[in-house]
mmCIF file of all heavy atoms in Angstrom:
data_model
loop_
_atom_site.group_PDB
_atom_site.id
_atom_site.type_symbol
_atom_site.label_atom_id
_atom_site.label_comp_id
_atom_site.label_asym_id
_atom_site.label_seq_id
_atom_site.Cartn_x
_atom_site.Cartn_y
_atom_site.Cartn_z
ATOM 1 N N ILE A 1 130.041 -77.312 -78.758
ATOM 2 C CA ILE A 1 129.425 -76.699 -79.930
ATOM 3 C C ILE A 1 128.723 -77.764 -80.766
ATOM 4 O O ILE A 1 127.578 -77.615 -81.173
ATOM 5 C CB ILE A 1 130.480 -75.976 -80.790
ATOM 6 C CG1 ILE A 1 131.107 -74.821 -80.007
ATOM 7 C CG2 ILE A 1 129.873 -75.480 -82.103
ATOM 8 C CD1 ILE A 1 132.325 -74.218 -80.668
ATOM 9 N N ARG A 2 129.400 -78.853 -81.008
ATOM 10 C CA ARG A 2 128.951 -79.883 -81.950
ATOM 11 C C ARG A 2 127.914 -80.833 -81.363
ATOM 12 O O ARG A 2 127.026 -81.299 -82.073
ATOM 13 C CB ARG A 2 130.189 -80.645 -82.406
ATOM 14 C CG ARG A 2 129.982 -81.654 -83.471
ATOM 15 C CD ARG A 2 131.262 -82.396 -83.750
ATOM 16 N NE ARG A 2 131.741 -83.002 -82.513
ATOM 17 C CZ ARG A 2 133.010 -83.044 -82.138
ATOM 18 N NH1 ARG A 2 133.946 -82.528 -82.870
ATOM 19 N NH2 ARG A 2 133.351 -83.613 -81.011
ATOM 20 N N ASP A 3 127.997 -81.141 -80.081
ATOM 21 C CA ASP A 3 127.199 -82.215 -79.500
ATOM 22 C C ASP A 3 126.029 -81.762 -78.628
ATOM 23 O O ASP A 3 125.353 -82.592 -78.042
ATOM 24 C CB ASP A 3 128.095 -83.137 -78.659
ATOM 25 C CG ASP A 3 129.185 -83.779 -79.481
ATOM 26 O OD1 ASP A 3 129.001 -83.940 -80.700
ATOM 27 O OD2 ASP A 3 130.226 -84.125 -78.908
ATOM 28 N N PHE A 4 125.786 -80.476 -78.536
ATOM 29 C CA PHE A 4 124.732 -79.988 -77.650
ATOM 30 C C PHE A 4 123.525 -79.564 -78.470
ATOM 31 O O PHE A 4 123.654 -78.914 -79.509
ATOM 32 C CB PHE A 4 125.250 -78.813 -76.808
ATOM 33 C CG PHE A 4 124.378 -78.498 -75.636
ATOM 34 C CD1 PHE A 4 124.396 -79.298 -74.504
ATOM 35 C CD2 PHE A 4 123.534 -77.422 -75.670
ATOM 36 C CE1 PHE A 4 123.578 -79.014 -73.422
ATOM 37 C CE2 PHE A 4 122.709 -77.118 -74.596
ATOM 38 C CZ PHE A 4 122.740 -77.931 -73.470
ATOM 39 N N TRP A 5 122.337 -79.915 -78.023
ATOM 40 C CA TRP A 5 121.102 -79.579 -78.741
ATOM 41 C C TRP A 5 120.911 -78.070 -78.776
ATOM 42 O O TRP A 5 121.470 -77.340 -77.953
ATOM 43 C CB TRP A 5 119.900 -80.255 -78.096
ATOM 44 C CG TRP A 5 119.679 -79.865 -76.660
ATOM 45 C CD1 TRP A 5 120.247 -80.454 -75.567
ATOM 46 C CD2 TRP A 5 118.897 -78.784 -76.181
ATOM 47 N NE1 TRP A 5 119.839 -79.813 -74.432
ATOM 48 C CE2 TRP A 5 118.999 -78.780 -74.781
ATOM 49 C CE3 TRP A 5 118.100 -77.834 -76.784
ATOM 50 C CZ2 TRP A 5 118.350 -77.855 -73.989
ATOM 51 C CZ3 TRP A 5 117.452 -76.903 -75.989
ATOM 52 C CH2 TRP A 5 117.583 -76.927 -74.606
ATOM 53 N N ARG A 6 120.134 -77.606 -79.726
ATOM 54 C CA ARG A 6 119.877 -76.176 -79.892
ATOM 55 C C ARG A 6 118.373 -75.888 -79.916
ATOM 56 O O ARG A 6 117.576 -76.710 -80.337
ATOM 57 C CB ARG A 6 120.431 -75.677 -81.225
ATOM 58 C CG ARG A 6 121.926 -75.771 -81.399
ATOM 59 C CD ARG A 6 122.625 -74.764 -80.503
ATOM 60 N NE ARG A 6 123.995 -74.540 -80.878
ATOM 61 C CZ ARG A 6 124.995 -75.339 -80.585
ATOM 62 N NH1 ARG A 6 124.767 -76.445 -79.945
ATOM 63 N NH2 ARG A 6 126.214 -75.049 -80.930
ATOM 64 N N VAL A 7 118.053 -74.700 -79.519
ATOM 65 C CA VAL A 7 116.718 -74.153 -79.688
ATOM 66 C C VAL A 7 116.833 -73.167 -80.845
ATOM 67 O O VAL A 7 117.787 -72.395 -80.911
ATOM 68 C CB VAL A 7 116.249 -73.411 -78.414
ATOM 69 C CG1 VAL A 7 114.937 -72.702 -78.650
ATOM 70 C CG2 VAL A 7 116.163 -74.375 -77.255
ATOM 71 N N CYS A 8 115.889 -73.219 -81.769
ATOM 72 C CA CYS A 8 115.964 -72.302 -82.900
ATOM 73 C C CYS A 8 114.575 -71.805 -83.269
ATOM 74 O O CYS A 8 113.571 -72.385 -82.876
ATOM 75 C CB CYS A 8 116.630 -72.972 -84.100
ATOM 76 S SG CYS A 8 115.779 -74.420 -84.711
ATOM 77 N N SER A 9 114.559 -70.724 -84.032
ATOM 78 C CA SER A 9 113.308 -70.128 -84.447
ATOM 79 C C SER A 9 113.522 -69.429 -85.783
ATOM 80 O O SER A 9 114.645 -69.070 -86.130
ATOM 81 C CB SER A 9 112.854 -69.113 -83.402
ATOM 82 O OG SER A 9 111.637 -68.527 -83.788
ATOM 83 N N GLY A 10 112.441 -69.245 -86.529
ATOM 84 C CA GLY A 10 112.515 -68.517 -87.784
ATOM 85 C C GLY A 10 111.356 -67.560 -87.896
ATOM 86 O O GLY A 10 110.299 -67.762 -87.292
ATOM 87 N N CYS A 11 111.527 -66.513 -88.703
ATOM 88 C CA CYS A 11 110.466 -65.514 -88.859
ATOM 89 C C CYS A 11 109.339 -66.029 -89.747
ATOM 90 O O CYS A 11 108.251 -65.464 -89.743
ATOM 91 C CB CYS A 11 111.037 -64.219 -89.409
ATOM 92 S SG CYS A 11 111.733 -64.378 -91.059
ATOM 93 N N THR A 12 109.604 -67.081 -90.506
ATOM 94 C CA THR A 12 108.581 -67.724 -91.342
ATOM 95 C C THR A 12 108.760 -69.238 -91.217
ATOM 96 O O THR A 12 109.832 -69.705 -90.797
ATOM 97 C CB THR A 12 108.732 -67.334 -92.825
ATOM 98 O OG1 THR A 12 109.982 -67.833 -93.295
ATOM 99 C CG2 THR A 12 108.644 -65.828 -93.038
ATOM 100 N N PRO A 13 107.773 -70.016 -91.601
ATOM 101 C CA PRO A 13 107.945 -71.470 -91.577
ATOM 102 C C PRO A 13 109.143 -71.932 -92.425
ATOM 103 O O PRO A 13 109.883 -72.820 -92.024
ATOM 104 C CB PRO A 13 106.630 -72.002 -92.127
ATOM 105 C CG PRO A 13 105.625 -70.955 -91.753
ATOM 106 C CD PRO A 13 106.371 -69.655 -91.919
ATOM 107 N N GLU A 14 109.347 -71.295 -93.588
ATOM 108 C CA GLU A 14 110.492 -71.675 -94.431
ATOM 109 C C GLU A 14 111.813 -71.380 -93.733
ATOM 110 O O GLU A 14 112.745 -72.187 -93.763
ATOM 111 C CB GLU A 14 110.448 -70.956 -95.771
ATOM 112 C CG GLU A 14 111.599 -71.370 -96.681
ATOM 113 C CD GLU A 14 111.655 -70.612 -97.992
ATOM 114 O OE1 GLU A 14 110.817 -69.726 -98.235
ATOM 115 O OE2 GLU A 14 112.563 -70.931 -98.783
ATOM 116 N N ALA A 15 111.921 -70.234 -93.084
ATOM 117 C CA ALA A 15 113.151 -69.889 -92.368
ATOM 118 C C ALA A 15 113.407 -70.894 -91.248
ATOM 119 O O ALA A 15 114.539 -71.345 -91.052
ATOM 120 C CB ALA A 15 113.058 -68.475 -91.803
ATOM 121 N N ARG A 16 112.360 -71.260 -90.516
ATOM 122 C CA ARG A 16 112.514 -72.246 -89.441
ATOM 123 C C ARG A 16 112.972 -73.591 -89.992
ATOM 124 O O ARG A 16 113.892 -74.210 -89.472
ATOM 125 C CB ARG A 16 111.208 -72.398 -88.665
ATOM 126 C CG ARG A 16 111.338 -73.370 -87.483
ATOM 127 C CD ARG A 16 109.999 -73.629 -86.820
ATOM 128 N NE ARG A 16 108.960 -74.047 -87.739
ATOM 129 C CZ ARG A 16 108.820 -75.292 -88.189
ATOM 130 N NH1 ARG A 16 109.650 -76.226 -87.828
ATOM 131 N NH2 ARG A 16 107.830 -75.590 -89.016
ATOM 132 N N GLU A 17 112.334 -74.039 -91.074
ATOM 133 C CA GLU A 17 112.712 -75.325 -91.667
ATOM 134 C C GLU A 17 114.160 -75.320 -92.135
ATOM 135 O O GLU A 17 114.879 -76.308 -91.959
ATOM 136 C CB GLU A 17 111.793 -75.643 -92.849
ATOM 137 C CG GLU A 17 110.372 -75.979 -92.426
ATOM 138 C CD GLU A 17 109.397 -75.991 -93.586
ATOM 139 O OE1 GLU A 17 109.845 -75.958 -94.757
ATOM 140 O OE2 GLU A 17 108.176 -76.027 -93.316
ATOM 141 N N ARG A 18 114.598 -74.202 -92.700
ATOM 142 C CA ARG A 18 115.968 -74.139 -93.201
ATOM 143 C C ARG A 18 116.994 -74.109 -92.075
ATOM 144 O O ARG A 18 118.054 -74.714 -92.178
ATOM 145 C CB ARG A 18 116.118 -72.954 -94.138
ATOM 146 C CG ARG A 18 115.344 -73.237 -95.445
ATOM 147 C CD ARG A 18 115.357 -72.105 -96.394
ATOM 148 N NE ARG A 18 116.637 -72.028 -97.088
ATOM 149 C CZ ARG A 18 116.850 -71.225 -98.113
ATOM 150 N NH1 ARG A 18 115.870 -70.453 -98.562
ATOM 151 N NH2 ARG A 18 118.025 -71.175 -98.684
ATOM 152 N N VAL A 19 116.692 -73.425 -90.964
ATOM 153 C CA VAL A 19 117.646 -73.419 -89.853
ATOM 154 C C VAL A 19 117.691 -74.790 -89.187
ATOM 155 O O VAL A 19 118.750 -75.258 -88.785
ATOM 156 C CB VAL A 19 117.377 -72.282 -88.839
ATOM 157 C CG1 VAL A 19 116.171 -72.551 -87.964
ATOM 158 C CG2 VAL A 19 118.600 -72.050 -87.961
ATOM 159 N N VAL A 20 116.550 -75.480 -89.083
ATOM 160 C CA VAL A 20 116.534 -76.838 -88.532
ATOM 161 C C VAL A 20 117.366 -77.763 -89.412
ATOM 162 O O VAL A 20 118.186 -78.540 -88.921
ATOM 163 C CB VAL A 20 115.087 -77.368 -88.379
ATOM 164 C CG1 VAL A 20 115.067 -78.860 -88.086
ATOM 165 C CG2 VAL A 20 114.371 -76.610 -87.274
ATOM 166 N N LYS A 21 117.197 -77.667 -90.735
ATOM 167 C CA LYS A 21 117.964 -78.493 -91.672
ATOM 168 C C LYS A 21 119.459 -78.228 -91.497
ATOM 169 O O LYS A 21 120.271 -79.146 -91.422
ATOM 170 C CB LYS A 21 117.534 -78.211 -93.107
ATOM 171 C CG LYS A 21 118.258 -79.051 -94.147
ATOM 172 C CD LYS A 21 117.731 -78.720 -95.535
ATOM 173 C CE LYS A 21 118.327 -79.615 -96.597
ATOM 174 N NZ LYS A 21 119.697 -79.355 -96.921
ATOM 175 N N PHE A 22 119.836 -76.946 -91.440
ATOM 176 C CA PHE A 22 121.241 -76.588 -91.259
ATOM 177 C C PHE A 22 121.804 -77.170 -89.966
ATOM 178 O O PHE A 22 122.865 -77.799 -89.965
ATOM 179 C CB PHE A 22 121.403 -75.060 -91.260
ATOM 180 C CG PHE A 22 122.785 -74.618 -90.877
ATOM 181 C CD1 PHE A 22 123.823 -74.698 -91.778
ATOM 182 C CD2 PHE A 22 123.044 -74.140 -89.600
ATOM 183 C CE1 PHE A 22 125.101 -74.302 -91.421
ATOM 184 C CE2 PHE A 22 124.309 -73.737 -89.233
ATOM 185 C CZ PHE A 22 125.351 -73.823 -90.156
ATOM 186 N N LEU A 23 121.091 -76.968 -88.856
ATOM 187 C CA LEU A 23 121.590 -77.467 -87.579
ATOM 188 C C LEU A 23 121.698 -78.990 -87.570
ATOM 189 O O LEU A 23 122.640 -79.545 -87.016
ATOM 190 C CB LEU A 23 120.695 -76.983 -86.437
ATOM 191 C CG LEU A 23 120.786 -75.490 -86.142
ATOM 192 C CD1 LEU A 23 119.727 -75.086 -85.121
ATOM 193 C CD2 LEU A 23 122.172 -75.096 -85.686
ATOM 194 N N ASN A 24 120.750 -79.676 -88.192
ATOM 195 C CA ASN A 24 120.819 -81.141 -88.243
ATOM 196 C C ASN A 24 121.989 -81.626 -89.081
ATOM 197 O O ASN A 24 122.459 -82.749 -88.897
ATOM 198 C CB ASN A 24 119.505 -81.728 -88.753
ATOM 199 C CG ASN A 24 118.444 -81.735 -87.677
ATOM 200 O OD1 ASN A 24 118.735 -81.921 -86.500
ATOM 201 N ND2 ASN A 24 117.208 -81.530 -88.078
#
């Protein structure tokens, strides 16, 4: 869970940026 990279997407640029920030 902790050490594996993720693919993510958001419905808007802000949503994408926030999910990337969270995952990082």
Side-chain angles (χ1 to χ4, degrees):
I1 297 169
R2 186 184 57 220
D3 299 334
F4 196 76
W5 60 273
R6 297 290 196 281
V7 173
C8 61
S9 180
C11 63
T12 64
E14 182 184 1
R16 183 186 53 81
E17 290 167 12
R18 290 176 77 171
V19 74
V20 168
K21 181 178 185 287
F22 172 77
L23 290 173
N24 282 326

